[in-house]
Amino acid sequence: MHLKLSLGALVATSSLLVSAAPAAESLTKDVNLRLIKTSESEATWISEEDKITKYVAKNINFIDITDIKDPEVLANLNGESEVRLTAAAAAVVYPTSLSHTAEANTAIAKINQTNQQGWLTTLTEFYTRYYRSATGTQSSTYLFNTITTIAAANPAIKVTKFTHSFNQPSIIARIPGTSTNLVIIGAHQDSVGSTSTGRSPGADDNGTGSVTILETFRILASSKFAPKNTLEFHWYAGEEGGLLGSAGIFANYKSTAKTVLAMLNQDMTGYSPAGKPVVYTDYTNAALTTYLRLIVTQYTGITPLTSTCGYGCSDHASATSNGFPAAFVHEEIFATSNPKIHSASDTLASVNWSAVLRHTKLTVGFAIEASYL
Ligand code: BES
Ligand code: ZN
């Protein structure tokens, strides 16, 4: 349904210029209008379908801030000022040398890419994993069932759905530690095509990140890894709709005062002309990123490259804006990143499995090292 809005009315809300706001919040829900932030100082109300065809398909970046009520989170999404960390996270000192390499190398030796290929085949067979589509719910159910089956190896592990205002749930698998402090490894599960109804295999974006963290989780579950810090694996819903799933989870973690020592985001791990992992330095925490570099170098044998998105391009930005230390390791530098994403051409056939292997190694290394923080 479309609603005609009188344009030109500009309202200043917490230093954002919001154009053409609808009269009432209930109206917003009725017509599914969304408030998207398109630059540091501007936001606009737009329909769900226009969000996809006018922004996602044209590679114009935005963040959906409709449900973000916390002014501190909105301010942090500008990426300008230094983000204030929660007290516990600010106190963390990330080590400058790694002390669990033997344990991590044993786990890395268990990486099985046949598993990853099977999961990714199924994920890409869903017509789309778009977060508001019926097949996006089915793909989430498939993922939940797969994770639950893997988790059965260790009865201490809990797998839950984190539900949102849209149909696709996020999924959280938790390996309890002796401490309730959290180390989080995340990847978005959804995909998007050039329209909300278009074919979207989402092989690289972000099937690869999803199976990178799934194989890491499988190895730790099957060995009954018992960490010091509680390890959580997150498969976020609705990232392509503007970081929706991760925004919901991290807002919840902020309001329930959870302690997050580190969040590592894996978004796109299987396209790498440069042949090197890339650490992103914006909307991330500098100290954690330095520690991540050390881990990448140790467990892949490659010194990572450095890049920036220039905007809050993935779920690490949700962790950051809620005051949690986050890091992002990607397959390529931004300028030469995979040109096929958000289209029917992002297929299984073009996935570079040695890049996925590198990311899985560093993710296993990160999970084990950071579990001792
Ligand atoms: N995987 C991309 C982000 C990305 C692309 C990172 C290329 C590094 C290089 C992510 O799924 C995405 O598409 N994000 C949106 C923004 C989001 C807030 C809707 C984008 O980049 O346009
Ligand atoms: Zn994307």
Side-chain angles (χ1 to χ4, degrees):
M1 198 201 296
H2 291 277
L3 178 78
K4 231 174 169 215
L5 294 165
S6 60
L7 293 166
L10 291 174
V11 193
T13 318
S14 52
S15 80
L16 270 185
L17 273 183
V18 180
S19 63
E25 208 176 306
S26 59
L27 188 62
T28 313
K29 294 211 171 83
D30 289 350
V31 297
N32 276 330
L33 282 185
R34 305 295 302 179
L35 182 59
I36 64 166
K37 184 167 141 62
T38 47
S39 77
E40 223 164 83
S41 56
E42 283 167 289
T44 186
W45 289 93
I46 190 169
S47 75
E48 187 62 40
E49 189 57 27
D50 281 354
K51 190 167 86 177
I52 303 308
T53 54
K54 297 190 176 157
Y55 288 83
V56 174
K58 294 193 176 144
N59 291 325
I60 300 172
N61 53 71
F62 68 89
I63 297 178
D64 187 324
I65 59 169
T66 319
D67 301 319
I68 301 181
K69 307 294 178 215
D70 184 334
E72 205 174 22
V73 173
L74 288 171
N76 287 341
L77 280 168
N78 282 336
E80 259 191 352
S81 53
E82 184 68 13
V83 169
R84 192 144 40 87
L85 292 177
T86 59
V92 181
V93 179
Y94 300 104
T96 52
S97 68
L98 302 175
S99 44
H100 303 277
T101 52
E103 186 174 17
N105 286 334
T106 303
I108 285 170
K110 295 178 182 155
I111 295 172
N112 177 343
Q113 288 207 283
T114 308
N115 291 332
Q116 294 181 310
Q117 284 155 1
W119 297 323
L120 189 58
T121 301
T122 307
L123 284 173
T124 55
E125 280 167 358
F126 291 98
Y127 183 77
T128 176
R129 302 191 303 280
Y130 183 62
Y131 69 108
R132 295 169 72 91
S133 67
T135 51
T137 308
Q138 290 159 17
S139 62
S140 188
T141 301
Y142 161 72
L143 203 49
F144 178 82
N145 290 341
T146 305
I147 294 163
T148 303
T149 303
I150 290 169
N154 178 355
I157 297 175
K158 294 277 173 295
V159 183
T160 52
K161 290 181 182 174
F162 188 107
T163 57
H164 304 286
S165 60
F166 45 89
N167 52 288
Q168 182 180 66
S170 296
I171 302 168
I172 298 177
R174 153 185 281 246
I175 309 181
T178 50
S179 160
T180 55
N181 288 351
L182 292 171
V183 169
I184 297 170
I185 295 176
H188 74 86
Q189 61 174 280
D190 61 313
S191 70
V192 71
S194 53
T195 66
S196 61
T197 52
R199 167 75 173 130
S200 177
D204 191 34
D205 187 10
N206 182 30
T208 52
S210 297
V211 304
T212 295
I213 77 166
L214 188 51
E215 178 61 4
T216 303
F217 172 66
R218 186 197 66 79
I219 290 167
L220 298 184
S222 66
S223 66
K224 293 201 172 63
F225 182 63
K228 174 187 159 206
N229 296 317
T230 294
L231 280 176
E232 280 191 359
F233 290 82
H234 292 182
W235 288 268
Y236 303 112
E239 188 270 353
E240 302 287 7
L243 312 183
L244 299 172
S246 59
I249 290 176
F250 286 108
N252 174 279
Y253 283 19
K254 183 181 181 185
S255 68
T256 53
K258 293 210 180 186
T259 299
V260 177
L261 303 181
M263 183 273 185
L264 175 66
N265 184 25
Q266 289 282 1
D267 187 359
M268 301 167 65
T269 72
Y271 171 87
S272 185
K276 294 177 180 190
V278 185
V279 161
Y280 278 57
T281 56
D282 59 343
Y283 296 84
T284 53
N285 177 268
L288 177 61
T289 299
T290 301
Y291 178 59
L292 172 63
R293 266 181 219 290
L294 186 67
I295 289 173
V296 173
T297 307
Q298 173 69 38
Y299 293 108
T300 67
I302 300 170
T303 307
L305 301 175
T306 301
S307 191
T308 54
C309 278
Y311 57 99
C313 64
S314 185
D315 300 305
H316 54 278
S318 295
T320 298
S321 63
N322 281 283
F324 301 120
F328 178 35
V329 59
H330 186 72
E331 59 195 11
E332 255 298 305
I333 60 168
F334 190 73
T336 50
S337 191
N338 190 339
K340 292 182 171 171
I341 67 168
H342 304 175
S343 79
S345 315
D346 181 10
T347 60
L348 187 67
S350 27
V351 168
N352 174 344
W353 285 100
S354 49
V356 178
L357 179 59
R358 281 198 292 273
H359 280 260
T360 311
K361 286 178 175 174
L362 76 88
T363 306
V364 173
F366 186 90
I368 290 178
E369 294 285 355
S371 76
Y372 291 100
L373 283 174

